[in-house]
Amino acid sequence: MVMEHIENNGYREIDSVAPRDRYARGWHCLGLSAPYKDGKPHSVRAFGTKLVVFAGEDGELSVLDAYCRHMGGDLSQGEVKGNSIACPFHDWRWGGNGRCTEIPYARRVPPIAKTRSWNILDQDGMLFVYNDPEGNSPPAEIAPPRIPGVASDDWTDWKGFRQIVVQTNCRELIDNNVDMAHFFYVHGSFPTHFRNVFEGHVAAQYMNGLAREDIRPVAAGGAPQLIGNTSKAAYYGPAFMIDELTYHYDQFDMESVLINCHYPIDLDSFVLIYGVLVKHSPLLDRRASEHMAESMGRYITKGFEQDIEIWKNKTRIENPLLCDGDGPVYQLRRWYEQFCVDVADISADMVERFEFELDMTTPVETWREVVSEGLALRSAEASR
């Protein structure tokens, strides 16, 4: 625990209790599914252990515990044989359902020869794995929603799909769902509307924003100038966010879908995964539309890198000191808690509907002054 207080002077104690020794129950995206379908085993460190991901000759993906139940060989270093993964140590074969299918040097397979098989979902070009400390199967109603733009001629393919290891607990990422003010100071966006709605397994953020004129580059040669954006970003479960994001330019709008998701490596690190689909604009030809999508992918990458720099240097705070311009941090963490307890222990206040809309009057007035001062300074520097 990190503490920083002087009781006689009334300083507030910073409480950074270690994260709960448990991984969230729910669907977690392991990235695009196509790279896992190359007929080779793939090693993934997740949920404090190692997994092996492979596709059999039938093309079906499977996820198993990576360590062979026989003598501990690493299945991810083995070989795909038929629809099974063969251990490199003694060639025991394991099927996608976790059962041992063959031991070449034995007359029979022990009836108890079984390893853990993980529930998976291959959907919209992404591979999901379901984690549940209690070992229950995933309820149908919490499956990640489909993304209509995938495989549509009206939309691009996935752009900027990246995976980055972040050395902190994944709850630090979840807190961003209610953190309105950091968009101005960290990302150079100017929020003008901000609202949260939590209900059931969904936590949504609605935001309208303007691009900060004092720091945005001036478009040259008639290129489109970014004006702002409209966003509906929702976590569906503890680890998979879909952001329906429209960028407003001076000449047109660009509709996009941003995927922001993660899976924990252990309690102190996670893999951040993100990518974007962009709807082709009728005002642009396909080449120009693809170029805009790639630019948006780079822009989004820059935003996540800004967050990562903050996460690398901050401390975990269980009792943040909040003001009236902050979002519902404690309510969001209460919502997130439903995924970290047994199903029988989920309480009504974790899942019942909660709505909160920030009064943006003060921040908008304050930030307009900041932007005006920045523009005046930039104008003065340009005239020298």
Side-chain angles (χ1 to χ4, degrees), residues 121-179:
L121 184 63
D122 185 0
Q123 177 174 291
D124 292 335
M126 294 173 285
L127 175 61
F128 297 84
V129 63
Y130 186 74
N131 178 62
D132 187 348
E134 296 180 272
N136 297 319
S137 297
E141 63 270 17
I142 68 166
R146 301 302 301 263
I147 301 171
V150 174
S152 169
D153 290 340
D154 293 333
W155 290 72
T156 66
D157 294 330
W158 287 112
K159 300 293 182 181
F161 223 97
R162 295 189 62 188
Q163 299 191 18
I164 297 178
V165 175
V166 182
Q167 300 293 339
T168 191
N169 184 267
C170 53
R171 199 197 63 184
E172 301 299 305
L173 170 61
I174 302 298
D175 280 350
N176 270 14
N177 189 276
V178 296
D179 190 349

Side-chain angles (χ1 to χ4, degrees), residues 17-200:
V17 174
R20 181 193 294 270
D21 186 15
R22 184 167 181 160
Y23 299 102
R25 178 183 57 257
W27 287 106
H28 295 73
C29 179
L30 299 183
L32 295 176
S33 55
Y36 293 112
K37 297 179 179 181
D38 60 358
K40 300 176 182 178
H42 295 263
S43 174
V44 175
R45 291 195 174 274
F47 310 110
T49 188
K50 182 186 278 192
L51 310 178
V52 59
V53 184
F54 69 96
E57 63 181 13
D58 61 2
E60 294 296 317
L61 285 168
S62 299
V63 178
L64 306 177
D65 280 3
Y67 296 116
C68 182
R69 292 299 197 259
H70 173 221
M71 294 289 286
D74 185 349
L75 298 178
S76 68
Q77 300 300 310
E79 182 181 349
V80 178
K81 296 182 178 180
N83 291 321
S84 299
I85 179 72
C87 179
F89 200 0
H90 300 93
D91 203 25
W92 284 41
R93 318 283 176 84
W94 301 91
N97 61 1
R99 294 196 174 276
C100 183
T101 59
E102 183 182 354
I103 305 172
Y105 62 89
R107 288 181 297 176
R108 64 184 184 89
V109 174
I112 62 171
K114 187 177 181 182
T115 190
R116 178 164 54 172
S117 173
W118 294 67
N119 288 294
I120 67 166
L121 184 63
D122 185 0
Q123 177 174 291
D124 292 335
M126 294 173 285
L127 175 61
F128 297 84
V129 63
Y130 186 74
N131 178 62
D132 187 348
E134 296 180 272
N136 297 319
S137 297
E141 63 270 17
I142 68 166
R146 301 302 301 263
I147 301 171
V150 174
S152 169
D153 290 340
D154 293 333
W155 290 72
T156 66
D157 294 330
W158 287 112
K159 300 293 182 181
F161 223 97
R162 295 189 62 188
Q163 299 191 18
I164 297 178
V165 175
V166 182
Q167 300 293 339
T168 191
N169 184 267
C170 53
R171 199 197 63 184
E172 301 299 305
L173 170 61
I174 302 298
D175 280 350
N176 270 14
N177 189 276
V178 296
D179 190 349
M180 177 276 298
H182 95 285
F183 284 98
F184 184 85
Y185 297 105
V186 177
H187 300 311
S189 180
F190 189 151
T192 57
H193 169 78
F194 199 88
R195 176 171 172 253
N196 287 112
V197 179
F198 313 146
E199 186 172 21

Side-chain angles (χ1 to χ4, degrees), residues 11-24:
Y11 285 97
R12 183 182 179 90
E13 177 183 297
I14 293 180
D15 183 357
S16 59
V17 174
R20 181 193 294 270
D21 186 15
R22 184 167 181 160
Y23 299 102

Side-chain angles (χ1 to χ4, degrees), residues 232-349:
K232 176 196 173 184
Y235 270 103
Y236 295 91
F240 186 71
M241 171 184 276
I242 300 174
D243 186 357
E244 299 171 34
L245 184 59
T246 300
Y247 285 98
H248 306 292
Y249 290 86
D250 57 350
Q251 302 172 28
F252 51 80
D253 289 346
M254 290 290 288
E255 295 181 48
S256 67
V257 174
L258 166 66
I259 298 300
N260 164 25
C261 50
H262 68 274
Y263 64 86
I265 299 172
D266 51 37
L267 297 177
D268 298 311
S269 61
F270 65 90
V271 175
L272 173 67
I273 303 174
Y274 52 91
V276 63
L277 293 168
V278 180
K279 189 173 184 179
H280 292 294
S281 170
L283 301 178
L284 300 174
D285 61 33
R286 286 302 172 97
R287 184 175 179 181
S289 187
E290 291 284 343
H291 178 72
M292 286 291 294
E294 290 166 0
S295 297
M296 289 172 66
R298 290 192 294 271
Y299 182 78
I300 290 165
T301 296
K302 179 182 177 181
F304 280 119
E305 289 173 347
Q306 291 166 334
D307 278 324
I308 290 168
E309 190 62 26
I310 296 292
W311 295 328
K312 282 165 53 179
N313 295 284
K314 73 183 293 295
T315 190
R316 178 184 175 92
I317 295 187
E318 287 297 306
N319 60 335
L321 177 61
L322 303 179
C323 68
D324 61 5
D326 290 319
V329 175
Y330 288 106
Q331 290 86 348
L332 175 67
R333 292 182 178 181
R334 190 62 177 162
W335 169 85
Y336 184 73
E337 186 72 6
Q338 68 177 289
F339 308 112
C340 302
V341 299
D342 289 349
V343 172
D345 295 327
I346 297 175
S347 56
D349 60 346

